[in-house]
Amino acid sequence: MNSSVEHLSPTTSSARFSLPSKSTAGPKPNIYERNLNKTRVAEVSAASLSFLFSEVVQYTQKRVSGVNDLERRLNTLGYRVGARVLELTAYRAESSLKAPKREIRLLPALMAIHTQIWRAVYGRPADAIEKSVENVDEYMIIDNDPLIERHISVPRDLSGLSCSSFSAGIVEAVLDGLGFPARVTAHHTPTSTHPTRTTILIKLEKSVLDREDVLK
């Protein structure tokens, strides 16, 4: 008995199905498998960083009630980044140095933030580090031209906003991770030659100063 149904098979059907052929170029690189010690291939262009940060600011601005709330959220975001940057720089130091050390004194720790941390995040060191002449528990990191603020136009109703609160959060996280708890804030301190100059103000806890006196 002949069936009226035509059975299709891979050899008789005009519709051919096949698995995708393997790429001869090899597997695509996985970001999680990159060598963390190769800093050159991990660099990001300044334009990309500025664009990404401006989008973060715009996204956050729509979800806050004022300048203080926006700065607090940027500070929190920077704190999360700073904790990871400290972990990464410590890992690279342990891999490259025969006898890596952890800073236990305040000034070397601040210099490490001024130079190593700033270079890891922004590609260059900060411009200066100063000690307050009025308060013994205050230090300042100066950035004459903050990278993250170059392409941000602050509206009039947010004229007091300092987007460098993000950088202040990074500094606060690194200090906490190194054992120097402090409150860190960002403030605009423009000059005639540097209109976007920003000061990262570090106010240390009393326990840090007490420990410094003992170590002296």
Side-chain angles (χ1 to χ4, degrees), residues 198-215:
T198 298
T199 297
I200 306 298
L201 178 62
I202 302 168
K203 190 171 185 63
L204 300 164
E205 291 190 2
K206 185 177 182 300
S207 60
V208 177
L209 301 179
D210 293 341
R211 185 177 61 198
E212 285 293 305
D213 290 337
V214 172
L215 292 175

Side-chain angles (χ1 to χ4, degrees), residues 80-194:
R80 295 173 181 174
V81 173
R84 289 161 175 78
V85 171
L86 175 61
E87 183 179 4
L88 178 60
T89 53
Y91 173 82
R92 287 174 175 170
E94 291 177 359
S95 302
S96 59
L97 301 177
K98 293 183 178 180
K101 65 176 183 178
R102 176 181 177 273
E103 299 294 351
I104 60 173
R105 298 298 302 272
L106 178 60
L107 288 181
L110 292 176
M111 288 303 302
I113 295 174
H114 165 275
T115 305
Q116 301 170 17
I117 300 298
W118 228 257
R119 181 181 286 116
V121 179
Y122 299 122
R124 63 171 180 82
D127 294 290
I129 183 169
E130 300 176 359
K131 182 179 180 179
S132 173
V133 296
E134 298 177 353
N135 302 305
V136 295
D137 60 345
E138 291 183 354
Y139 288 80
M140 293 160 283
I141 296 177
I142 311 298
D143 193 338
N144 291 331
D145 184 23
L147 174 63
I148 56 177
E149 296 195 22
R150 289 180 184 175
H151 305 289
I152 292 181
S153 178
V154 179
R156 292 182 178 179
D157 58 330
L158 298 176
S159 58
L161 172 66
S162 176
C163 293
S164 289
S165 296
F166 174 80
S167 300
I170 293 177
V171 173
E172 187 168 340
V174 173
L175 286 172
D176 282 351
L178 293 175
F180 301 93
R183 179 73 178 100
V184 185
T185 53
H187 306 272
H188 281 303
T189 52
T191 63
S192 57
T193 55
H194 300 100

